[in-house]
């Protein structure tokens, strides 16, 4: 068998050995389909559902035979899989293959016997106790294999993420994936060595050590992952303000992502700089600021009772025009820090619309009132 069958479909795999009649075959086919539907709409107690079908459709002799056939077949498959992984990670050297395969079969058989008894109606304490019992049965070389397997999975996963961010161009895939695997292996080994340690100092020290060891390509990936979070948030805001219309989402998001990454790299390289470091923002993010500021200021004008008698459309447009100039002027000054741009910023502030000057006074008055 290429892979271990599910518990319900396995019944049909053993139909001849179990001597199923036509009605039983039809019933199992129906229940297999029914369970698939349940899983898409609900969160059924699969173990209970399967056990109910097995005990109601099979007679007592068939059920006992099925349990034996299924556990034997599944245990053989999983033991073979475990042995393959031990060989893959070089952990089978020096082991007696026949002895280990037999141990693996017995372990998988016993584990299946224990876990099949689980139901959602059991208490958390009962479930945890059973899982601990199964964990204690597990051969030590399988625990070691888990560390290697975790490292392999994370290495492959990180390589795929690097490809998604187009960070693999020009890289030797074999060399880099090998580097990722060995880093993840070291990390998994270090973390597993902590066990259930509650020593915060030891845990922090180990994590700091692993951070220092982290390959530069993964550090770059981390920046892109963090940048993507902000890129997605900004895209949602652009949609909220209708600024996504008529633009290519792929191009805009890529530009915004590159901006977020460049900004993160800049601040990472000079984290303690006393001089503000500004990375030029994409034009669409400046426009987003204009829209957000316009909305916020109009809401404040309403909040402080300054909107009475005003033409809302005209005032909003006036605020938007001012914000358009203000955002660009502040951006220019932040980058250049020149006296010329500072004067332009101050001049713009002095000549803001009267309604915004009134708003400033209302806000200041409210602050003073709160203080006293």
């Amino acid at each position: 068998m290429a892979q271990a069958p599910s518990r319900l479909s396995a019944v049909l795999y053993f139909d001849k050995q179990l001597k199923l009649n036509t009605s039983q075959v039809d019933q199992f086919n129906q229940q297999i389909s029914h369970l698939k539907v349940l899983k898409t709409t609900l969160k059924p107690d699969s173990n209970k559902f399967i056990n109910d079908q097995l005990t109601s459709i099979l007679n007592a002799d068939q059920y006992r035979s099925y349990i034996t056939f299924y556990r034997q077949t599944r245990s053989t498959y999983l033991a073979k899989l475990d042995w393959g992984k031990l060989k893959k990670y070089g952990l089978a050297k020096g082991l007696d293959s026949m002895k280990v395969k037999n141990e693996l079969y017995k372990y998988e058989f016993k584990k299946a016997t224990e876990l099949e008894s689980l139901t959602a109606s059991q208490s958390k304490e009962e479930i945890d106790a059973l899982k601990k019992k199964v964990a204690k049965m597990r051969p030590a070389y399988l625990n070691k294999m888990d560390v290697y397997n975790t490292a392999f999975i994370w290495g492959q996963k990180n390589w795929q993420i690097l490809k998604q961010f187009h960070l693999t161009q020009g890289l030797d895939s074999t060399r880099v994936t090998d580097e990722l695997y060995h880093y993840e292996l070291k990390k998994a080994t270090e973390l597993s060595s902590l066990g259930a340690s509650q020593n915060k100092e030891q845990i922090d020290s180990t994590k700091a050590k692993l951070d220092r060891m982290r390959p530069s390509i993964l550090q770059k990936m981390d920046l892109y992952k963090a940048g993507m979070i902000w890129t997605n948030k900004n895209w949602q805001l652009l949609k909220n303000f209708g600024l996504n219309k008529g633009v290519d989402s792929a191009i805009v998001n890529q530009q915004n992502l590159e901006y977020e990454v460049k900004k993160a790299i800049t601040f990472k390289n000079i984290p303690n700089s006393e001089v503000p470091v500004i990375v030029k923002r994409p034009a669409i993010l400046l426009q987003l600021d204009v829209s957000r500021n316009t909305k916020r200021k109009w809401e404040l004008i309403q909040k402080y009772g300054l909107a009475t008698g005003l033409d809302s459309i005209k005032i909003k447009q006036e605020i938007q025009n001012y914000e358009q100039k203000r955002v660009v002027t502040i951006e220019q000054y932040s980058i250049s820090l020149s006296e010329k741009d500072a004067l332009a910023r101050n001049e713009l502030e002095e000549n803001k619309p009267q309604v915004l000057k009134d708003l400033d006074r209302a806000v200041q008055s409210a602050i003073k009132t709160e203080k006293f």
Side-chain angles (χ1 to χ4, degrees), residues 19 23 49 143 151 153 165 220 251 254:
K19 298 179 181 179
S23 174
F49 178 89
N143 293 330
I153 291 171
F165 288 124
K220 190 171 184 179
I251 293 175
Q254 186 59 37

Side-chain angles (χ1 to χ4, degrees), residues 109-126:
F109 191 92
K110 195 168 183 182
K111 181 177 76 171
T113 304
E114 296 286 352
L115 294 181
E116 281 169 23
S117 66
L118 278 177
T119 65
S121 62
Q122 288 176 279
S123 68
K124 184 178 183 301
E125 290 74 19
E126 289 174 317

Side-chain angles (χ1 to χ4, degrees), residues 22-255:
T22 304
S23 174
Q24 286 176 313
V25 170
D26 289 343
Q27 287 181 73
F28 276 115
N29 277 320
Q30 289 173 8
Q31 295 309 320
I32 289 168
S33 299
H34 183 49
L35 181 58
K36 287 180 181 176
V37 173
L38 285 178
K39 286 181 176 179
T40 62
T41 57
L42 303 167
K43 290 185 178 179
D45 183 345
S46 297
N47 260 356
K48 185 178 184 305
F49 178 89
I50 291 170
N51 288 336
D52 287 347
Q53 305 315 313
L54 291 172
T55 54
S56 63
I57 299 173
L58 298 175
N59 63 42
D61 289 338
Q62 286 176 320
Y63 181 74
R64 281 192 293 270
S65 297
Y66 158 78
I67 291 296
T68 301
F69 290 144
Y70 178 75
R71 287 178 184 164
Q72 287 175 343
T73 303
R74 184 172 177 80
S75 299
T76 299
Y77 167 75
L78 293 176
K80 184 179 179 181
L81 201 64
D82 289 339
W83 177 250
K85 288 180 181 178
L86 287 170
K87 289 174 66 178
K88 174 182 177 179
Y89 299 124
L91 301 175
K93 294 175 183 177
L95 298 179
D96 183 326
S97 63
M98 293 300 294
K99 180 182 176 183
V100 170
K101 287 177 184 177
N102 189 45
E103 284 179 356
L104 289 171
Y105 172 81
K106 288 180 178 177
Y107 161 69
E108 293 294 352
F109 191 92
K110 195 168 183 182
K111 181 177 76 171
T113 304
E114 296 286 352
L115 294 181
E116 281 169 23
S117 66
L118 278 177
T119 65
S121 62
Q122 288 176 279
S123 68
K124 184 178 183 301
E125 290 74 19
E126 289 174 317
I127 294 172
D128 289 344
L130 184 56
K131 288 182 177 179
K132 285 179 181 178
K133 180 181 177 182
V134 171
K136 286 180 181 178
M137 292 159 39
R138 189 173 172 82
Y141 45 74
L142 285 189
N143 293 330
K144 189 172 184 179
M145 180 196 76
D146 286 345
V147 173
Y148 280 71
N149 198 47
T150 298
F152 177 78
I153 291 171
W154 274 106
Q156 293 298 309
K157 191 176 290 187
N158 284 335
W159 176 253
Q160 291 304 316
I161 295 173
L162 289 169
K163 287 174 71 175
Q164 289 172 17
F165 288 124
H166 309 292
L167 299 176
T168 58
Q169 294 174 3
L171 297 180
D172 181 330
S173 61
T174 302
R175 184 186 65 79
V176 174
T177 51
D178 187 62
E179 181 185 5
L180 295 178
Y181 166 69
H182 282 94
Y183 164 71
E184 293 296 342
L185 179 58
K186 179 71 175 173
K187 183 173 77 170
T189 303
E190 292 275 354
L191 293 177
S192 66
S193 69
L194 291 174
S197 172
Q198 298 299 314
N199 187 325
K200 187 177 184 302
E201 187 176 333
Q202 184 184 9
I203 293 171
D204 290 345
S205 175
T206 300
K207 288 183 176 179
K209 176 184 173 183
L210 291 170
D211 285 342
R212 290 192 297 271
M213 291 167 47
R214 193 165 176 80
S216 58
I217 189 69
L218 288 187
Q219 293 181 37
K220 190 171 184 179
M221 180 191 78
D222 293 340
L223 294 175
Y224 272 80
K225 286 172 70 176
M228 182 55 75
I229 293 173
W230 282 105
T231 298
N232 290 336
K233 285 181 178 179
N234 283 333
W235 178 250
Q236 188 56 54
L237 287 170
L238 289 169
K239 288 171 68 176
N240 292 346
F241 284 99
L243 298 175
N244 62 315
K245 295 173 183 176
V247 301
D248 186 317
S249 61
I251 293 175
V252 168
N253 283 330
Q254 186 59 37
Q255 289 174 342

Side-chain angles (χ1 to χ4, degrees), residues 246-265:
V247 301
D248 186 317
S249 61
I251 293 175
V252 168
N253 283 330
Q254 186 59 37
Q255 289 174 342
N256 289 347
L257 175 60
E258 294 297 335
Y259 158 72
E260 294 294 345
V261 171
K262 188 175 180 181
K263 181 175 70 172
I265 291 173

Side-chain angles (χ1 to χ4, degrees), residues 259 267 275-281 286 289 326-342 345:
Y259 158 72
F267 280 97
V275 179
V277 180
I278 301 297
V279 178
K280 190 173 182 180
R281 286 183 292 171
L286 295 179
D289 269 3
R326 177 178 169 275
V327 166
V328 172
T329 301
I330 289 176
E331 180 86 357
Q332 288 175 343
Y333 172 70
S334 299
I335 293 171
S336 71
L337 297 178
S338 69
E339 186 177 344
K340 177 185 174 184
D341 287 331
R345 180 197 62 181

